[in-house]
Amino acid sequence: MSSCMSAIGGMPQAELSVGLKQLKSEHPLLLEQLEGMYGLTQKIDQERDVEDYFLELIAMVKEFKAALDPHSEREEGVLFPMMGVYIGTTSGPIAVMEYEHDQAKLNIKGFLEKAEGNQTSTEEKKKLAELIQEAYFILTEHFSKEENVLFPMAERMLTDEEKAELYHRIQEIK
């Protein structure tokens, strides 16, 4: 199989429409933020005095969540339902994508709820940082699945009119 073939069905990788390109183009910044947060979790895991790192991690997680939320809404509120018309949403790729979104968000929410305002021990901070590590692992793999499987699938599946609607509707989500 040549290098320009996609992983599904051996079909050539399609050029993504403008809306799908936008969704894909949001991933590098999110991945960069995830890498920064993961690096901090490593320092928290390895150090004795973690207070400064932990406060920095809280700030980074808030910033990341502010960028992730509209991206997720564009996918969950627009792309996934559009694809669901063709492949359903209760099982298969859409169900997996939504489950991964939910798991990452639960880890982030759990971290922020427990990390803010509470005097926690160094050991508790290390445990809380593990929630962000888990979100990191979920989302890095998730973005890869979207880019290599889901977005090309959507490109082949959606009509030109639906692709135009996708682009228009995701522009409305800020």
Side-chain angles (χ1 to χ4, degrees), residues 9-92:
M11 298 184 68
Q13 190 80 324
E15 175 75 18
L16 295 179
S17 59
V18 66
L20 292 168
K21 270 187 190 168
Q22 177 181 329
L23 292 173
K24 183 177 177 178
S25 75
E26 294 170 1
H27 286 172
L29 175 62
L30 293 169
L31 284 167
E32 186 179 311
Q33 290 175 301
L34 279 167
E35 292 292 338
M37 292 185 313
Y38 185 75
L40 272 178
T41 67
Q42 296 294 93
K43 289 178 182 175
I44 290 167
D45 190 45
Q46 297 164 4
E47 301 287 331
R48 289 189 197 280
D49 184 17
V50 301
E51 186 62 32
D52 289 344
Y53 293 134
F54 195 75
L55 292 172
E56 187 178 349
L57 181 61
I58 292 171
M60 288 179 83
V61 170
K62 287 179 179 177
E63 185 179 318
F64 176 74
K65 185 180 180 307
L68 180 66
D69 286 348
H71 175 77
S72 294
E73 179 56 32
R74 289 181 195 105
E75 292 178 348
E76 294 169 12
V78 183
L79 177 62
F80 294 174
M82 290 178 87
M83 291 182 73
V85 169
Y86 296 97
I87 59 174
T89 58
T90 57
S91 65

Side-chain angles (χ1 to χ4, degrees), residues 127-160:
K127 278 287 193 207
L128 288 174
E130 289 175 10
L131 293 172
I132 299 306
Q133 289 180 352
E134 186 61 28
Y136 167 85
F137 292 125
I138 291 167
L139 289 172
T140 53
E141 186 176 312
H142 175 83
F143 291 159
S144 177
K145 287 180 199 172
E146 286 181 340
E147 292 176 15
N148 294 304
V149 178
L150 195 75
F151 295 165
M153 182 188 290
E155 185 62 40
R156 290 190 300 272
M157 182 182 299
L158 300 176
T159 66
D160 289 344

